[in-house]
Amino acid sequence: MARRVAVIGAGSSGLTCIKCCLEEGLEPVCFESSDDIGGLWRFKEIPEPERSSTYRSLVTNTSKEMMCFSDLPMPAHFPNFMHNSQLLQYLQLYAAHFNLLQHIHFQTTVLTVKQRPDFACSGQWEVLTEDRDGLKKIHIFDAVLVCTGHYTKPVMPLKDFPGFETFKGEYCHSSEYKDPEPYKGKKVMVVGIGNSGGDIAVELSRVAKKTFLSTRQGAWVLSRISLKGRPIDMIGVTRLLGLVTLLLPRRLVNWACERELNQKYDHRLYGLMPKNRFLDQRPLVNDDLPGCILLGGLVIKPNIQEFQGSNVVFEDETVEEQIDTVIFCTGYTHNFPFLSTSLFTGPSFNLTLYKHVLPPMLEHPTLAIIGLIEAWGPIMPVVEMQARWATRVISDLKYTPLILGVRPNILRLLLTDPRLGFSVLFGPCTPYQFRLRGPGKWAGARNAILTVWDRVSKPMMTRVVPEPRPSRLPKLLVLSTLLKSVIAVLLKLNKKI
């Protein structure tokens, strides 16, 4: 009889967990508190409590080929950096392609998850749910996968700003921000220079009277566009470059990266220079922020020292007066109200996880937290890998593999399939590479890797452009230079004779 697994949440993590359960012969039952899939990628005009959602204009900061699931490439006509609605559309395609919707109970909230005391030796769980009609029900499961993410509880550090109680204007968290229209003609203070803070500040600077962006540490700013207009993550995230980065001194890598970024615009001149080196903090991905600073619509300010009514005093003693609105882009913290507090054994009552997935205090690894990780790059391939590992552990509790065995053998590929081997080594490290071998091997992985640049160019080549005519000018210049050199040598020899 197949093990029954509860999957809590039907966002990107929950969907891939359902699929991985099916691949391992498990029986998944997913509980989703809203009325549709997508999680935070579903835009909603009115934010729901304890649930994050996007703002209207949000665009991904990782490209489609790097952030898709490993066995379903994004549609070729999708742009390389997608609007949030298109990413939601991809998740819907993923659910339909693998027939996942039939395993999801919508508008069903999980209230508690408790280990069965009489079945502790087997690791079974009691899951109490409540449906939209208020009907409560207890379910028995052999394992539980928690896929509610870590963008659930907004952090509002109001106590860190002395005098904030005297501020009479409006304030909110970035989770409540939807579009710039309500802030038209106002003086707005954005606090925090993460990706959300940068996006919101740029958008506001086009309609607000004045926009200020307050940051404690600054940030290294990356553009989505790299060499020849290609996505930066597809140029910068390769196995060869990763190997070179590991071999070279860290100080040298930092110097090279910072020099390259400062060649585009001097971070010190723009007030963006961070306190940390490039490799020591996550960069800010934003194409427009430097331009908004250059145009004067956006002003970078240091950390806030205190509020004095509608005036804001900064740590450099400068003051900005008559601020109308403050938007806190100060991040989120995870929240699992349905889990027992006995699982939170880390420092400051935090959740400690083995391999960022399994609570180590459980006798049997039958509960996993998926997606609770801060990744520099795309999160979806990471949670998919977590789900593949966790479901494999659950399917055979006697065997807990430390690795999945899906990393490509590059040396073998170079010897047996040189074209594929070179693409894996020198090309972008796409998720498809982890479907070439091992559990979950996908027959379409090779073709997906070899055609990756075709899908990159597809949405951009919307106009027929004639091929450039081969020019004879460079050849003529070479011949002319060579002829002059020969004549000069002959003249010198003639003089000597």
Side-chain angles (χ1 to χ4, degrees):
M1 185 176 178
R3 292 176 178 270
R4 297 183 74 238
V5 180
V7 179
I8 305 176
S12 58
S13 302
L15 292 176
T16 192
C17 278
I18 297 172
K19 176 180 175 293
C20 291
C21 283
L22 295 172
E23 290 178 338
E24 293 293 337
L26 304 171
E27 182 184 340
V29 180
C30 179
F31 301 108
E32 168 57 41
S33 59
S34 70
D35 58 359
D36 202 355
I37 65 172
L40 66 87
W41 294 107
R42 290 183 62 227
F43 172 78
K44 288 200 170 184
E45 292 281 357
I46 302 176
E48 300 175 355
E50 300 296 319
R51 178 182 293 276
S52 176
S53 68
T54 65
Y55 36 96
R56 192 186 306 277
S57 62
L58 186 142
V59 174
T60 62
N61 54 26
T62 50
S63 63
K64 65 177 182 179
E65 293 298 320
M66 302 297 282
M67 72 178 301
C68 65
F69 290 122
S70 60
D71 52 359
L72 186 67
M74 298 270 185
H77 67 277
F78 274 28
N80 287 285
F81 292 95
M82 298 172 292
H83 186 262
N84 61 82
S85 61
Q86 291 168 312
L87 183 52
L88 176 60
Q89 185 180 347
Y90 171 72
L91 295 177
Q92 293 168 338
L93 291 172
Y94 181 82
H97 182 78
F98 294 108
N99 200 21
L100 306 180
L101 294 179
Q102 62 177 322
H103 303 282
I104 305 174
H105 297 262
F106 291 105
Q107 294 183 306
T108 303
T109 302
V110 173
L111 300 178
T112 60
V113 175
K114 297 180 180 179
Q115 196 166 24
R116 297 186 71 185
D118 52 334
F119 284 86
C121 59
S122 63
Q124 287 189 319
W125 299 84
E126 291 182 358
V127 177
L128 175 62
T129 63
E130 182 179 10
D131 64 18
R132 61 182 176 181
D133 298 321
L135 180 63
K136 296 182 180 180
K137 185 178 179 180
I138 294 179
H139 311 260
I140 305 301
F141 289 100
D142 298 297
V144 177
L145 298 173
V146 180
C147 306
T148 54
H150 58 278
Y151 294 109
T152 52
K153 189 176 182 180
V155 174
M156 289 275 280
L158 302 183
K159 294 182 180 179
D160 293 346
F161 302 104
F164 186 78
E165 66 278 1
T166 67
F167 180 68
K168 303 303 180 184
E170 298 177 345
Y171 69 94
C172 68
H173 189 269
S174 58
S175 60
E176 302 173 67
Y177 176 87
K178 296 302 172 185
D179 56 58
E181 188 61 29
Y183 308 95
K184 190 174 182 179
K186 296 183 178 181
K187 294 180 72 174
V188 184
M189 178 70 62
V190 179
V191 180
I193 199 170
N195 286 317
S196 294
D199 286 348
I200 292 172
V202 165
E203 191 168 64
L204 289 174
S205 70
R206 299 188 175 109
V207 300
K209 182 179 179 180
K210 197 74 172 180
T211 303
F212 304 94
L213 178 56
S214 170
T215 172
R216 286 184 300 174
Q217 297 186 351
W220 295 107
V221 182
L222 295 178
S223 171
R224 292 178 176 87
I225 305 170
S226 184
L227 300 173
K228 296 185 177 180
R230 295 180 175 183
I232 189 170
D233 51 356
M234 298 188 69
I235 299 298
V237 184
T238 68
R239 293 186 180 276
L240 181 64
L241 192 58
L243 179 62
V244 171
T245 301
L246 288 175
L247 294 176
L248 292 176
R250 190 177 180 87
R251 180 180 294 182
L252 178 60
V253 176
N254 278 321
W255 173 83
C257 293
E258 292 166 10
R259 183 179 183 276
E260 181 68 23
L261 292 176
N262 281 323
Q263 286 293 320
K264 190 169 186 180
Y265 39 80
D266 189 337
H267 281 60
R268 188 178 300 279
L269 176 64
Y270 278 67
L272 295 167
M273 178 67 75
K275 296 178 180 179
N276 297 322
R277 303 301 302 272
F278 177 77
L279 295 178
D280 296 333
Q281 70 177 71
R282 294 176 66 180
L284 167 65
V285 180
N286 198 295
D287 301 302
D288 303 323
L289 188 139
C292 292
I293 296 173
L294 195 64
L295 296 174
L298 177 60
V299 178
I300 303 296
K301 302 295 291 186
N303 191 38
I304 296 174
Q305 180 174 293
E306 65 173 330
F307 284 83
Q308 296 177 351
S310 296
N311 300 338
V312 179
V313 182
F314 299 92
E315 290 184 346
D316 61 356
E317 303 299 331
T318 59
V319 179
E320 294 296 339
E321 300 179 341
Q322 301 301 313
I323 300 297
D324 298 301
T325 305
V326 179
I327 301 177
F328 290 96
C329 302
T330 43
Y332 298 81
T333 185
H334 57 262
N335 186 32
F336 307 110
F338 47 81
L339 291 181
S340 170
T341 55
S342 62
L343 296 174
F344 297 81
T345 59
S348 303
F349 210 55
N350 289 328
L351 184 62
T352 302
L353 298 172
Y354 173 68
K355 298 288 186 182
H356 301 283
V357 177
L358 301 174
M361 74 290 300
L362 296 177
E363 183 179 353
H364 298 282
T366 55
L367 183 141
I369 314 292
I370 306 298
L372 194 62
I373 185 171
E374 290 286 344
W376 266 50
I379 188 67
M380 283 167 50
V382 176
V383 299
E384 182 188 31
M385 197 66 71
Q386 288 182 326
R388 291 173 69 183
W389 181 66
T391 52
R392 192 156 186 80
V393 170
I394 292 170
S395 66
D396 187 0
L397 297 178
K398 296 179 181 179
Y399 172 62
T400 305
L402 295 178
I403 59 174
L404 272 174
V406 296
R407 180 178 295 176
N409 187 327
I410 298 177
L411 181 59
R412 175 175 292 182
L413 288 175
L414 289 172
L415 295 174
T416 60
D417 193 341
R419 184 186 175 197
L420 179 61
F422 273 89
S423 296
V424 171
L425 179 60
F426 296 101
C429 188
T430 54
Y432 321 122
Q433 296 184 10
F434 299 99
R435 291 283 182 177
L436 289 170
R437 61 191 288 259
K441 180 181 177 180
W442 175 43
R446 181 182 187 276
N447 183 64
I449 293 170
L450 297 179
T451 57
V452 64
W453 290 110
D454 294 335
R455 291 187 297 278
V456 169
S457 60
K458 174 70 174 180
M460 295 188 290
M461 299 185 67
T462 55
R463 171 177 168 260
V464 178
V465 179
E467 292 291 332
R469 296 179 180 179
S471 175
R472 295 182 178 181
L473 185 60
K475 293 182 180 180
L476 292 174
L477 288 174
V478 171
L479 290 174
S480 175
T481 304
L482 182 62
L483 183 60
K484 289 179 180 179
S485 300
V486 171
I487 292 174
V489 170
L490 292 176
L491 288 173
K492 288 183 179 180
L493 290 175
N494 186 51
K495 289 181 180 179
K496 289 183 180 180
I497 294 173

